[in-house]
Amino acid sequence: MIHDTLSKIESRIGQSGVKDDAKAELLTLLGTLKSEVAELSKTHGEAAQSIAGFTQVSAHEARSEEHTSELQSH
């Protein structure tokens, strides 16, 4: 389930309207997070799932802020 959540986030970043350099940075950070969460899940599965959930919420909020700023500029 953790892997699915992080994969969904990765897909959303890839489909977002974020500039390429920022998108590359986000994907790099997500890759780091994936490896750290995978290691954490071996001993602390619930904590790793919680981190993945918070990451998903944060990614959703970032997209919401992006859309809000686009609407305000029009």
Side-chain angles (χ1 to χ4, degrees), residues 52-74:
F54 285 126
T55 303
Q56 185 172 18
V57 170
S58 296
H60 175 76
E61 287 301 314
R63 280 191 69 157
S64 295
E65 289 175 16
E66 177 184 311
H67 291 288
T68 300
S69 66
E70 287 177 8
L71 291 173
Q72 291 174 348
S73 67
H74 292 277

Side-chain angles (χ1 to χ4, degrees), residues 1 5 7 11 15 18 20-21 24-25 38 43 62 70 73:
M1 183 165 193
T5 300
S7 293
S11 176
Q15 296 172 2
V18 177
D20 288 341
D21 56 335
E25 181 180 2
T43 56
E70 287 177 8
S73 67

Side-chain angles (χ1 to χ4, degrees), residues 2-66:
I2 296 167
H3 181 65
D4 291 340
T5 300
L6 295 174
S7 293
K8 287 177 186 177
I9 294 168
E10 184 175 25
S11 176
R12 288 180 184 158
I13 290 171
Q15 296 172 2
S16 72
V18 177
K19 294 180 182 179
D20 288 341
D21 56 335
K23 190 181 295 188
E25 181 180 2
L26 288 171
L27 291 172
T28 298
L29 291 169
L30 185 60
T32 301
L33 180 63
K34 276 184 176 183
S35 65
E36 291 175 353
V37 167
E39 191 63 33
L40 178 65
S41 70
K42 293 176 184 176
T43 56
H44 297 86
E46 192 172 307
Q49 185 61 44
S50 178
I51 291 168
F54 285 126
T55 303
Q56 185 172 18
V57 170
S58 296
H60 175 76
E61 287 301 314
R63 280 191 69 157
S64 295
E65 289 175 16
E66 177 184 311

